[in-house]
Each structure stands twice: as C-alpha cells, then as structure tokens.
Amino acid sequence: MRTSFKRLFACCALLLAPNAWALNLFACEPEYAALAQELAPEARIFSATTALQDPHQIQARPSLIAQMRRADLAICAGAELEVGWLPMLQMKANNPKVRDGLPGMFYAAEQVDTLDRLDSVSRDMGDVHAEGNPHLHFSPQRLLRVAQVLTERLAQLDPTNAEHYRANFDDFSARWLTAIPVWEAKAAPLHGQAVIAYHSSFRYLFDWLGVEQAGDLEPKPGLPPSTAHLAGLLALTEQQTIMAVVHAGYQDRRGAQWLAQRAELPVVRLPFSTGQEGIDSLFALYDAVLEPLLAHVGE
C-alpha cells in the first residue's frame, strides 16, 4: 500500500510539475530552430527549411501548413526574407496564434538594428530588403540580443516555465560570451582580407570579422551571374587582391567556379546554417564557418 501511494504521489507530482515541453515552436530557418533548442530544449521544435535550401524560395507545402497550424510560436528571420511564402503559410494554417503583431509571431530582425536598411526600394533594384539584411545570425552580438528577447517571449507565452527559459538563456549567454573572443582571436588573420561572394548572405559575418566583400556574384540581388558580370568581376581580381570566391551551400556554384578558375582563386563553400555536415548547434556553425576561410589566408 505504501509503495503504491508513493508511485501515485510521484505521478501526480510529475503531472503538476512545470512542463518546459508544453510549447510547439515553428522555426522558419534552422538557425532559429537551433536557438530555440538552446532556450527551450524540451519543446517540440520544427524547422521549415534546411541549410541547403534558399530561405527566399520555399513552397507553402501541406506539411508546413500542418506544422504552422499546431504552432504556439513561430520564429522567423523577418526583414521580408520569408515574404514569398510565410504569408501564404499563415493564411492557409489559419492559426490565430501566429499572426503578425501577436505574441506568437516573432521576427528576429525586429529585435536588432539590421545592416543595409533602405529608405525606399524599387523593382529594378532586385531582391533587396528595405528593412535591412535578414541574415543576422552571423552577428554574435545581434544573435544574443535576439535570444534575450525570444526568452522573454517564451516566458510570456508559457509563464509557468518562465524561470526555466531564463535559466537556459543565462547558460547560453555565458557560453556564447565566452566563445566570442575565442572566435575573434582565431579569425584575426581574416581582418582586412577581401573576397567575392554570392548575394549578401554572409554580410554580418564579414562585417564582424573585418572582411571586405569586394564584389557580388549576382549582378543584382536575386539574379544569377551573367557572362558580362562575371567578366567584370574577373577584371576586378586583376586590380585588387582577392582571397577567395565564397558561396553558401544552397547557392549555385557554377558562377563561382567559372570566376575562380579564370582568376586562379580558391572557391570556398561556407555552411549557411545548422543541420548540415554534422553542424548541430550555433557554436558548431561558427566554428565551421571560420575554418574554410582561414585555410586560404596568405595563399
């Protein structure tokens, strides 16, 4: 009888304990799924995209609609990165929790000062973002600020577990702030180097490390490299010392290879997010993105 009572008491205590896994979290990009994993590891976390997908070009598939319908919180980059598919996903999911302006819809770009904001845009400028560059996950300080605000959003939506989320943030913050100077010291040889890169995908990484993006493989954002544009970049390599031609894993590498072959430059394929090639955390992502660049310093 006593043993049965203890078991009953344990079951009741478990049921009454704070449920850190109570929330369903929908991440538009894998980097924000990884951040959610740091803050709410017991939550049900779904990433709508992978590191090998262009986050601009996603279809509102039935599987994504079903996940969005169940979400208590959607976490997205924002700055119109998902404008081509997220509004359709929100409409078809018909989940009132994750509508714009409500606590269940979280945009990382709204929490920080983004780079390259524009006062106005026009169609002839290409695929530009008036609210700034959305790929801010390669800015360690901005990402920490996003994590801080996201923690409070989780606490707001799930107040029973508020202290759990805050404790997880404190742990993440301590480890992140310890890692930043280590990364910066390791990346010091990159300061002042110049690269040609695809799009502005690594804008924040280059800004942080003091790397100059001397040229863009796209003639305009969103447009594939043309022969004339590549010829112009080839002329640029004759005028300026370029360390490498850089592209992300999801980007077409043909233009990069054409230019690199003729300019006798290395092509560097950088991981763009978590979830590929054994990169299972934001810490691993930062480690993995530095190594390929450092391998070509001084060549």
Side-chain angles (χ1 to χ4, degrees):
M1 177 72 73
R2 186 171 299 172
T3 301
S4 298
F5 179 80
K6 287 182 178 179
R7 288 177 179 172
L8 178 61
F9 179 82
C11 289
C12 291
L14 183 62
L15 291 172
L16 293 173
N19 292 322
W21 53 88
L23 295 178
N24 287 303
L25 306 181
F26 179 103
C28 287
E29 295 83 25
E31 57 266 24
Y32 293 110
L35 183 60
Q37 183 67 31
E38 295 283 354
L39 304 177
E42 298 89 355
R44 291 178 287 268
I45 304 170
F46 173 81
S47 179
T49 59
T50 74
L52 296 178
Q53 289 179 293
D54 184 346
H56 300 84
Q57 306 291 334
I58 302 297
Q59 298 296 320
R61 304 187 307 274
S63 59
L64 299 187
I65 295 169
Q67 292 289 345
M68 179 67 91
R69 188 172 292 130
R70 290 192 287 267
D72 298 300
L73 173 64
I75 309 164
C76 302
E80 299 183 337
L81 175 62
E82 306 92 355
V83 69
W85 55 276
L86 182 59
M88 179 65 70
L89 203 60
Q90 291 170 302
M91 181 185 71
K92 290 190 174 182
N94 195 28
N95 179 353
K97 295 180 181 179
V98 293
R99 291 174 182 163
D100 286 1
L102 295 180
M105 190 67 238
F106 182 92
Y107 291 111
E110 293 182 355
Q111 319 309 323
V112 298
D113 292 328
T114 54
L115 296 176
D116 305 329
R117 284 179 174 267
L118 299 170
D119 293 331
S120 62
V121 299
S122 61
R123 297 182 67 179
D124 62 355
M125 297 171 67
D127 184 16
V128 297
H129 303 273
E131 297 175 22
N133 188 305
H135 308 299
L136 59 90
H137 60 289
F138 281 117
S139 170
Q141 294 294 349
R142 287 179 175 86
L143 192 62
L144 186 61
R145 172 59 181 167
V146 170
Q148 182 181 31
V149 182
L150 180 57
T151 298
E152 292 309 309
R153 186 67 59 86
L154 290 165
Q156 177 185 357
L157 294 173
D158 184 17
T160 302
N161 293 292
E163 294 311 309
H164 173 84
Y165 301 126
R166 290 175 181 135
N168 286 340
F169 169 74
D170 289 343
D171 175 69
F172 170 74
S173 177
R175 290 182 290 120
W176 195 249
L177 289 172
T178 298
I180 289 174
V182 176
W183 287 323
E184 291 177 341
K186 185 176 183 179
L190 294 171
H191 189 85
Q193 298 288 333
V195 299
I196 293 173
Y198 206 122
H199 195 61
S200 54
S201 303
F202 297 102
R203 173 74 168 92
Y204 290 91
L205 178 70
F206 297 154
D207 178 71
W208 171 41
L209 300 179
V211 173
E212 177 192 357
Q213 182 170 337
D216 192 328
L217 285 162
E218 294 179 322
K220 290 183 180 180
L223 296 181
S226 64
T227 302
H229 181 67
L230 289 173
L233 292 176
L234 182 59
L236 174 65
T237 66
E238 298 169 355
Q239 302 164 9
Q240 182 177 356
T241 300
I242 303 296
M243 182 182 75
V245 182
V246 176
H247 71 95
Y250 70 84
Q251 292 164 337
D252 190 338
R253 60 187 178 183
R254 288 175 295 181
Q257 290 176 326
W258 185 97
L259 177 62
Q261 182 180 10
R262 286 159 178 79
E264 298 183 347
L265 291 171
V267 176
V268 178
R269 177 180 179 270
L270 293 183
F272 192 65
S273 192
T274 57
Q276 69 172 108
E277 301 169 356
I279 302 172
D280 59 358
S281 71
L282 292 165
F283 293 89
L285 176 62
Y286 273 55
D287 288 333
V289 83
L290 294 180
E291 291 294 344
L293 290 171
L294 287 166
H296 299 289
V297 174
E299 286 190 354

